[in-house]
Structure formats: C-alpha cells, structure tokens
Amino acid sequence: MEQQTVEIVLARDDADIAASFPVMKELRTHLADADVYRAQVRRQMDDGYTLALVRIDGEVAGCGGFRVHETLSRGRYMYVEDLVTASQKRSYGLGDKLFDWLAAEARERGCAQLEIVSGVQRGEAHRFYHRKRMTIKAFQLVLPLT
C-alpha cells in the first residue's frame, strides 16, 4: 500500500453508502441487497448513526458505523456498531487507523469511553480489541422477541 492515499471520511450521500456495501457485507453477511442496505443506513442516520469510510485512493476499504449516547450508568460514550476492513486489505494497518480515528472522534465529541459489542464467535476481532487496550466490562444479555 505504499504511496497510496488513505483517508477516513464520513459518508454524506447515497453514493458513499453504496460504495461501502461490499465491505460492510463482509461483516454483515445477511445483507443481500444494496438498495435495502442504503435505505436502512439512511433510516439509521436519521436516528443518529454515523458511517465512517476508510478510502484508499478513493476506494472504500473499511467502514465504521457508530452512535454517540449518554446514559446515567455510563455518561457520554461512543457505541461502535460496525467495524470492518475489506478482507483483501487486511494486515495493512487499516483497522488500527480506523479504530484510532474512532477513538479520537469519540474524544472530540466529549465521550468518556468507546464501546463495541462483538459476537462471541469473533476470536480474531477480540484479539484486535484487546490489543487496542479494550477490556470486557459486562455481558450483553438478549431476549429475542420475534
């Protein structure tokens, strides 16, 4: 990846969202339709979701979706819902760059912490998060309603 331009930008329009679909689909494998994805991301954006894109020479190579919340128990924090780099672009430090950008963005937005919920089966992701000095603070308990 030498002499390539790497930038992290916020998705602003449908073209940005569409460009993120192939990468996001690697994480969210149930996503089947780019138009349905775009519409859902738009709805989520209306509800506070922000989508950051890692671009290499203009091509999306990673995504980070997040929201900033404030609760009595945790104060103001950033919740990272989606964090993924394209499989063919892994091991180039893009995940580190995106994670560090998200942490800086959280600080900029006045957050006391950054949180990620990660499925128990995602061992590689957990090793990455531990390397980034994240700790396990709680169990997430879920009651399916449908």
Side-chain angles (χ1 to χ4, degrees), residues 56 66 104 128 133:
I56 300 175
F66 64 92
F128 172 79
R133 298 186 350 258

Side-chain angles (χ1 to χ4, degrees), residues 41-144:
V41 169
R42 278 292 186 195
R43 285 192 308 276
Q44 290 180 200
M45 286 176 155
D46 289 343
D47 192 39
Y49 179 82
T50 302
L51 181 61
L53 308 175
V54 178
R55 289 186 176 148
I56 300 175
D57 292 336
E59 179 184 337
V60 175
C63 318
F66 64 92
R67 298 173 197 259
V68 173
H69 296 285
E70 188 168 11
T71 63
L72 294 173
S73 63
R74 298 192 299 268
R76 189 168 175 84
Y77 67 98
M78 178 183 283
Y79 173 60
V80 177
E81 298 178 25
D82 311 293
L83 182 61
V84 60
T85 57
S87 57
Q88 72 271 21
K89 302 291 185 182
R90 292 196 184 128
S91 300
Y92 292 103
L94 296 177
D96 280 315
K97 285 182 192 317
L98 181 55
F99 184 95
D100 294 346
W101 184 92
L102 288 164
E105 186 73 10
R107 285 185 199 95
E108 175 94 7
R109 293 177 183 227
C111 297
Q113 61 191 30
L114 181 145
E115 297 183 8
I116 295 173
V117 173
S118 182
V120 295
Q121 77 283 3
R122 298 191 65 227
E124 279 188 52
H126 302 160
R127 283 188 289 283
F128 172 79
Y129 298 139
H130 288 299
R131 187 172 56 77
K132 298 305 282 182
R133 298 186 350 258
M134 295 192 88
T135 60
I136 298 170
K137 289 183 66 172
F139 289 104
Q140 180 185 23
L141 306 171
V142 177
L143 173 65

Side-chain angles (χ1 to χ4, degrees), residues 15-51:
D16 288 340
I17 297 168
S20 72
F21 179 70
V23 176
M24 188 65 78
K25 188 171 174 34
E26 291 188 37
L27 176 65
R28 306 293 178 216
T29 56
H30 66 280
L31 297 172
D33 183 271
D35 290 331
V36 172
Y37 167 73
R38 182 195 45 75
Q40 182 170 345
V41 169
R42 278 292 186 195
R43 285 192 308 276
Q44 290 180 200
M45 286 176 155
D46 289 343
D47 192 39
Y49 179 82
T50 302
L51 181 61

